[in-house]
Amino acid sequence: MEPLSKPRYDLIGQGYAQTRKEDPRLRDRILAALGPARTVVNVGAGTGSYEPRDRYVVAIEPSDVMAGQRPRELAPAIRATADSLPLRDGSVDAAMTVLSVHHWDEGQEAGVREMRRVATGPVVIVTCDPDVSGAMWLMADYLPEVAALDHRTFPRPAQLAAWLGGRTEVQVVPIPRDTCDWSLVSFWAHPERVLDEDARNATSGFARMEPAVVQRVVAAVRRDLEDGTWDARHGHLRKLDEYDAGLRLVLNMPS
């Protein structure tokens, strides 16, 4: 595992914005969950994907590499971590974070509670349920190391709900086959992306693996694509328009 003397995405965030583009369908779900909130804190804001453009946003991002890829029309990101947000109690209408909580390490519980502390209205967390994502062909057949990592690092939705208190709704978010946000779980119908170094490196799952593990997986997927094994086992996925690979939207409202 890489050292954490600097923010993780300073180490693995190069080129992130090239393949991790905002999917308008997920963006619409996030905006709907935020409701009428006019002020929003985006925790782990990264390159700004899914950040509302029509509201006042406070972006929190510890990584210079990620913040440096934010479009100029977005507000600069404040360097801070989730577990110590530089905001007063109830100072924003809503809080959001997208595929970030699993990178907060020992600060996960504190960070989630901080989101609830500073927001008077909804807290919106986009995350993965590792019990579902771990069953996807990539993790189940080729990359059990990522499944194991995800089981250690992704809080289950029920755990998030317990930390947040109040009323929590967990929404299944199927991933469209044609999504432009190439997260690791978007590979469900695109095994060829495993062979694409840029696509791999923009996913924290691959980026956090030892080179020998990545080389093993790439070789195995290439072999199974060339001899037809992958399509014999999983080719039916190519015909689906969307698939539940574990992506979840957790929507919490205060009591």
Side-chain angles (χ1 to χ4, degrees):
M1 198 69 66
E2 75 281 352
L4 294 179
S5 57
K6 59 169 63 179
R8 178 167 293 134
Y9 269 91
D10 277 0
L11 301 171
I12 65 177
Q14 296 287 348
Y16 184 92
Q18 296 176 20
T19 59
R20 300 299 302 276
K21 301 181 187 301
E22 186 178 279
D23 187 296
R25 292 154 292 197
L26 178 54
R27 178 194 63 215
D28 289 347
R29 292 186 73 137
I30 293 170
L31 292 178
L34 290 172
R38 301 307 306 166
T39 56
V40 180
V41 60
N42 185 15
V43 184
T47 62
S49 291
Y50 304 108
E51 205 164 280
R53 267 53 170 183
D54 61 344
R55 312 170 194 218
Y56 182 85
V57 175
V58 178
I60 304 293
E61 173 55 52
S63 166
D64 287 333
V65 169
M66 293 295 281
Q69 298 176 67
R70 292 172 62 81
R72 293 183 64 86
E73 65 268 19
L74 296 182
I78 298 169
R79 296 299 176 276
T81 56
D83 56 350
S84 184
L85 295 179
L87 298 172
R88 298 188 306 275
D89 293 0
S91 57
V92 291
D93 297 333
M96 63 177 283
T97 187
V98 179
L99 291 176
S100 178
V101 172
H102 59 296
H103 291 300
W104 299 353
D105 300 318
E106 65 276 4
Q108 286 183 355
E109 178 177 357
V112 170
R113 293 184 183 278
E114 279 284 272
M115 293 176 71
R116 182 67 281 160
R117 175 184 69 80
V118 302
T120 59
V123 171
V124 179
I125 299 175
V126 178
T127 185
C128 274
D129 183 337
D131 295 326
V132 180
S133 62
M136 184 186 131
W137 64 265
L138 178 55
M139 275 62 80
D141 294 356
Y142 299 94
L143 200 45
E145 293 89 346
V146 164
L149 176 65
D150 287 352
H151 275 85
R152 295 195 304 271
T153 58
F154 275 97
R156 272 58 174 183
Q159 180 64 76
L160 294 172
W163 290 340
L164 288 163
R167 297 173 286 112
T168 300
E169 174 188 351
V170 179
Q171 302 175 9
V172 174
V173 183
I175 299 173
R177 178 163 45 86
D178 63 352
T179 184
C180 53
D181 187 348
W182 291 12
S183 64
L184 190 63
V185 285
S186 80
F187 289 26
W188 66 265
H190 302 281
E192 295 81 6
R193 288 181 188 165
V194 175
L195 312 184
D196 182 334
E197 184 177 7
D198 290 337
R200 292 195 309 270
N201 289 345
T203 70
S204 64
F206 268 116
R208 294 178 69 182
M209 292 294 106
E210 295 294 331
V213 172
V214 176
Q215 293 165 11
R216 185 201 76 217
V217 174
V218 170
V221 172
R222 178 179 285 115
R223 178 199 65 217
D224 288 352
L225 284 171
E226 290 175 351
D227 68 14
T229 298
W230 189 92
D231 279 282
R233 293 175 178 169
H234 308 294
H236 64 282
L237 296 174
R238 297 188 190 271
K239 301 177 183 179
L240 301 179
D241 292 329
E242 61 181 20
Y243 178 77
D244 177 13
L247 194 65
R248 299 290 183 265
L249 188 151
V250 177
L251 171 59
N252 176 264
M253 297 297 292
S255 299

